Amino acid sequence: MSARSEILARVRAALADEPAVRQVPREYRQHSRDAGTADLAEMFGERLAEYTARVHRATPEHTPAEIIAEVLRARGASSAVVARGLPARWRPGTASIGLVDDTGLGIGELDRTDAAVTGCAVAIAETGTLVLDAGADQGRRAISLIPDHHVCVVRTDQIVGTVAEALAALDPLRPLTFISGPSATSDIELDRVEGVHGPRNLDVIVTPVGC
């Protein structure tokens, strides 16, 4: 008998008296929606700020499109790639910033673009995490990873409390990208390096539904 066969035989013997299927508890903690989306949005913004992301709150008087134009101008951006399904109401109407719909731009073209503007699928308040699933307002994963500046619009009804709630709301068959703050890593000496795995700059615009 090989070592592998012997180990598996011992495992089977040890489990002989156990039921064939063991039920795993799935009663994960959830945030009560009775607390209101305002509390979740506030927590989400606080967590994002801890990652050094910049958080903006849109209103009917200060729309996402206006904020997007402001943050792009503040960084001197002259071009931004956008997901083809990004709502028209989120697109800045300014001639100084050229918006480019992603039609399969190459890596070099994306790298020469100053910023990317997307929506998201879900946002997680406790961890300050954005989740993109390549939906129409998000586009390909590449556009949120290659340009050095990512601007993401999050509706308040997309914010959930916990990771478990987010996973329950997502389709596991879609390409999921989890983003917690600007890209940063550190080497063994704890020297922080930004921009290795994605954009060094992240602006998140939290907007009421319909804005």
Side-chain angles (χ1 to χ4, degrees):
M1 179 182 290
S2 67
R4 178 178 182 274
S5 298
E6 183 178 355
I7 291 170
L8 291 176
R10 290 181 180 180
V11 171
R12 293 189 190 98
L15 297 176
D17 297 331
E18 295 292 326
V21 178
R22 180 181 292 276
Q23 296 298 321
V24 178
R26 302 291 183 185
E27 292 83 20
Y28 299 114
R29 179 174 55 83
Q30 296 189 357
H31 278 267
S32 172
R33 293 301 257 177
D34 295 337
T37 56
D39 290 344
L40 290 178
E42 185 70 23
M43 181 192 299
F44 178 60
E46 291 173 357
R47 298 294 193 274
L48 274 170
E50 292 174 2
Y51 293 124
T52 72
R54 293 172 292 272
V55 184
H56 314 267
R57 297 300 294 268
T59 66
E61 294 74 31
H62 194 198
T63 66
E66 293 171 333
I67 298 174
I68 290 169
E70 291 168 3
V71 299
L72 292 178
R73 280 197 296 264
R75 293 202 55 79
S78 60
S79 63
V81 62
V82 300
R84 297 181 69 180
L86 193 77
R89 67 182 185 277
W90 292 351
R91 295 173 179 245
T94 173
S96 62
I97 301 170
L99 297 184
V100 181
D101 278 332
D102 179 40
T103 54
L105 298 175
I107 292 175
E109 294 172 297
L110 290 172
D111 191 43
R112 291 188 292 272
T113 303
D114 295 319
V117 181
T118 74
C120 78
V122 174
I124 307 170
E126 277 198 345
T127 60
T129 302
L130 304 165
V131 187
L132 280 60
D133 70 355
D137 63 347
Q138 301 149 57
R140 296 180 298 148
R141 177 176 289 160
I143 72 173
S144 66
L145 295 180
I146 296 176
D148 200 40
H149 184 195
H150 182 196
V151 182
C152 185
V153 183
V154 178
R155 301 192 318 269
T156 51
D157 67 333
Q158 294 177 308
I159 304 174
V160 299
T162 66
V163 173
E165 290 174 283
L167 293 176
L170 292 164
D171 180 351
L173 299 181
R174 296 191 65 82
L176 303 177
T177 304
F178 288 69
I179 301 170
S180 297
S183 171
T185 188
S186 61
D187 59 20
I188 195 169
E189 296 179 349
L190 300 182
D191 292 324
R192 181 181 173 92
V193 181
E194 299 179 340
V196 175
H197 307 296
R200 289 180 295 176
N201 302 284
L202 175 63
D203 282 275
V204 177
I205 301 167
V206 179
T207 180
V209 179
C211 279

